Amino acid sequence: MSILLEARHIQFSVSEHKSSFFAPPRKTVLQDVSLHVAERETLGIVGSSGSGKSTLSRILTGLLKPEKGEVLFQGQALRDTAGQVRKDVRPHIQMIFQDPQGALDPRQTIRQIVKEPLHQTPLSTEEKERRVRQALTDVALPVDAADRYPRMFSGGQRQRIAIARALVTRPSVIIADEAVSALDVSTQAVVLNLLMDLQNRYGLSYIFVSHDLAVIRHISHRVAVLDGGRIVETGPTVSVLDHPQHPTTRALIDASL
Amino acid sequence: MKLPCAPKSLIAGSILLLGFLLPATIVWIWHGGHAPFIDIPNRYAPPSLTHPLGTDPFGRDLASYVLTGAFNTTAIALLSVTLGTVIGTILGLVGANGGKRGWAVMSAADLGLAFPPILIAAMLVTAQGASATGEILAIALFGIPAQIRITKQAAQSILVLDYISAARMAGFGSVAVTIRHVLPNIAPILIVHASTSLALAILSEAGLSYLGLGAPPPQPDLGRALASYQIHIFDHPFLVAAPGITVMALVLGFNLMGDGLRDLLERPFALNEERLS
């Protein structure tokens, strides 16, 4: 298995008091985080709130720039010399966000929303339209959904629209930040199965960030446990969750029982 | 948006404004924007069929004088609010995007709020003499700091949402994200604020010209009419009541309209739309 996306020694911190006039103390969010995901693999990242999960997923997608360390896509740096995410890499890394309410612009139609990631690609208008339709079909939404607005859909449907938006560029890896946390349990199962189905069909890799061990156990092949900005334990999902070595992992498992 | 479910305040405000501004526009066009004819022998005439509200100390028809004044006041208010809204919105969006530029804009807005509006108006008039242009600039200037803050606040509440992150990932820069996603989503707030600002601008215009900082005579003006006729409040009450009530009606009309627009535009969409499934 070849490594698709890799993070090396990532460090990130934020200033604690944003408006303080004097040099504020900085709070370390991520410290020396290294991880990778291979082709067709799902890496689960678990951790309690405040462990740096969301920051890590934003760094992996290129939305945030790490202070130290680097993110590599297929062995090459994610960012160009100017510090921007490389244009040729952008379509390959997509993200599904936590809150299906805030992830879709209420003033745009589903077509506009799903088409957005194709903005900088050299595809023709017809090809873009075809891609949008294919993506909507992939997530089992009717094609006539394209002309509707997000408010007309339920939470689960909206998350499927968000998945369609992530699929439309035919990405290699999708980073899902608490992608099913806002959904009820039965909808969670439907969306998770959809994601696993898409993985088989398109050979996708996922980095699945969640605080929910049941979800992680269901979907991921490997798991990394994040605590206080460090990875404290990593390994195949079954062995980590069934034979936890680190106290944080044990605490997470105990809390979920 | 169906008309039957329009809020009552929006309907009431629109009717009130239409009731004053439609005749005002007709009279303004009729007189070519000038004051009605002076007819000294006929001064202080009581209400009659030819002069429904009587005449003023120059024998001019009070009704058409007041309506022309209402048109001028509204025009000045509209121009200054448009100017203030456009400038304030652009600066507010710059402020919301942060960075050194954003910080500079917000500091300037805070500084602007610290200056009393009347002082700014007096300074502008001293600098270039009393005129409608000076008045428009002064009223626009009053509104800009508040417009900047409202825009910034509204834009920031949008900028933290995930669809902004999604757009950034697609390669859109700050300006493109602002135009595509931020502006359409804060538009209702801006529209409501603009219509409330119009009420305030009318009041400011009347206030400035009451103090003699507005357009000079013979341009009909409600504030100036109030100032010069207030001595007649007991002997010729119409002279004071007509411009006074007109100012009040315009302010009330725009305020009601603002309230109605708030109800119409800012309520959650989900309430009046059926879901798909």
Side-chain angles (χ1 to χ4, degrees):
Chain A
M1 281 203 297
S2 62
I3 288 173
L4 196 64
L5 191 69
E6 186 182 9
R8 281 188 191 160
H9 311 295
I10 299 290
Q11 185 170 322
F12 194 82
S13 63
V14 289
S15 27
E16 280 211 293
H17 306 287
K18 235 185 156 186
S19 56
S20 172
F21 184 75
F22 302 101
R26 292 185 75 79
K27 185 183 174 230
T28 306
V29 182
L30 294 172
Q31 210 168 2
D32 197 24
V33 172
S34 297
L35 51 81
H36 67 270
V37 65
E39 275 172 30
R40 294 174 175 268
E41 187 193 34
T42 302
L43 171 70
I45 298 178
V46 280
S48 51
S49 49
S51 57
K53 291 173 303 192
S54 283
T55 311
L56 181 57
S57 54
R58 276 168 190 266
I59 285 174
L60 289 171
T61 49
L63 276 168
L64 283 177
K65 203 173 165 179
E67 261 170 35
K68 284 184 193 154
E70 55 182 350
V71 180
L72 305 174
F73 179 76
Q74 290 177 330
Q76 284 190 300
L78 188 68
R79 290 173 183 278
D80 59 23
T81 44
Q84 297 297 311
V85 177
R86 275 171 33 217
K87 239 180 179 174
D88 54 323
V89 174
R90 255 183 214 142
H92 289 291
I93 305 174
Q94 289 293 323
M95 184 157 180
I96 304 170
F97 297 93
Q98 172 172 13
D99 173 21
Q101 194 83 36
L104 313 176
D105 186 340
R107 305 250 160 206
Q108 290 196 317
T109 61
I110 306 309
R111 174 177 286 107
Q112 289 172 305
I113 290 170
V114 174
K115 202 185 271 180
E116 192 172 65
L118 298 175
H119 163 65
Q120 281 191 334
T121 55
L123 301 173
S124 67
T125 315
E126 299 85 63
E127 176 60 18
K128 284 181 181 173
E129 178 63 28
R130 205 158 31 238
R131 288 275 190 101
V132 170
R133 264 188 230 168
Q134 179 63 43
L136 288 176
T137 316
D138 283 342
V139 297
L141 279 172
V143 175
D144 70 341
D147 294 311
R148 293 167 180 266
Y149 288 88
R151 61 176 180 271
M152 300 172 184
F153 295 90
S154 66
Q157 287 172 322
R158 276 183 224 187
Q159 205 56 311
R160 277 192 271 162
I161 295 164
I163 294 170
R165 171 173 61 191
L167 283 176
V168 78
T169 58
R170 313 258 160 95
S172 324
V173 55
I174 293 181
I175 291 143
D177 181 10
E178 300 277 9
V180 296
S181 309
L183 307 174
D184 62 70
V185 177
S186 61
T187 319
Q188 271 187 2
V190 174
V191 172
L192 284 178
N193 289 335
L194 171 68
L195 287 170
M196 290 163 80
D197 183 38
L198 291 169
Q199 180 166 46
N200 291 332
R201 207 183 316 164
Y202 294 118
L204 288 166
S205 301
Y206 291 128
I207 295 181
F208 212 90
V209 179
S210 182
H211 69 279
D212 189 338
L213 289 179
V215 168
I216 291 289
R217 188 188 285 271
H218 189 67
I219 198 165
S220 30
H221 305 117
R222 276 190 312 121
V223 64
V225 182
L226 205 58
D227 180 46
R230 292 166 189 272
I231 290 185
V232 293
E233 189 167 0
T234 179
T237 308
V238 179
S239 67
V240 171
L241 295 189
D242 288 348
H243 308 286
Q245 301 298 314
H246 196 274
T248 306
T249 320
R250 267 179 234 139
L252 277 170
I253 292 169
D254 288 344
S256 71
L257 289 176
Chain B
M1 273 174 257
K2 292 161 235 142
L3 208 64
C5 67
K8 285 194 189 83
S9 49
L10 181 61
I11 297 169
S14 308
I15 290 175
L16 193 60
L17 287 175
L18 220 61
F20 274 85
L21 293 179
L22 197 66
T25 311
I26 294 168
V27 168
W28 192 85
I29 293 168
W30 187 261
H31 287 289
H34 299 294
F37 305 108
I38 291 177
D39 182 14
I40 299 289
N42 203 16
R43 61 210 288 244
Y44 297 118
S48 64
L49 275 177
T50 39
H51 302 296
L53 294 177
T55 60
D56 72 357
F58 298 96
R60 293 178 293 198
D61 178 52
L62 185 62
S64 29
Y65 183 90
V66 165
L67 285 173
T68 313
F71 183 92
N72 289 342
T73 300
T74 310
I76 288 174
L78 273 171
L79 283 171
S80 51
V81 167
T82 309
L83 193 66
T85 302
V86 170
I87 296 175
T89 302
I90 293 172
L91 290 177
L93 291 171
V94 172
N97 275 295
K100 281 193 181 111
R101 231 178 312 167
W103 180 84
V105 166
M106 294 321 293
S107 306
D110 289 344
L111 197 68
L113 279 175
F115 278 96
I118 287 294
L119 204 71
I120 299 177
M123 272 162 56
L124 271 172
V125 169
T126 317
Q128 60 152 51
S131 70
T133 324
E135 221 178 354
I136 291 170
L137 288 179
I139 299 170
L141 221 56
F142 297 172
I144 288 178
Q147 182 73 36
I148 291 178
R149 294 184 131 228
I150 286 170
T151 309
K152 186 222 175 194
Q153 213 118 56
Q156 273 187 330
S157 72
I158 301 294
L159 283 171
V160 297
L161 295 175
D162 284 337
Y163 59 78
I164 301 295
S165 298
R168 293 235 159 95
M169 281 185 66
F172 288 99
S174 296
V175 177
V177 165
T178 299
I179 293 169
R180 275 177 73 95
H181 294 292
V182 179
L183 220 42
N185 282 292
I186 64 170
I189 296 172
L190 299 183
I191 292 169
V192 170
H193 182 67
S195 90
T196 326
S197 305
L198 270 172
L200 200 66
I202 298 239
L203 213 53
S204 309
E205 198 283 333
L208 286 177
S209 46
Y210 181 87
L211 295 175
L213 302 173
Q219 199 57 249
D221 192 290
L222 299 174
R224 182 152 29 74
L226 276 170
S228 41
Y229 303 153
Q230 57 189 351
I231 46 165
H232 295 300
I233 189 159
F234 294 116
D235 44 345
H236 301 289
F238 274 118
L239 283 178
V240 186
I245 288 172
T246 306
V247 170
M248 195 205 73
L250 291 176
V251 172
L252 190 66
F254 280 115
N255 266 330
L256 284 171
M257 207 172 87
D259 277 355
L261 283 174
R262 192 191 319 271
D263 292 347
L264 189 70
L265 296 174
E266 290 185 6
R267 72 180 156 201
F269 284 115
L271 289 180
N272 53 355
E273 292 275 358
E274 88 314 347
R275 286 198 167 166
L276 184 64
S277 53

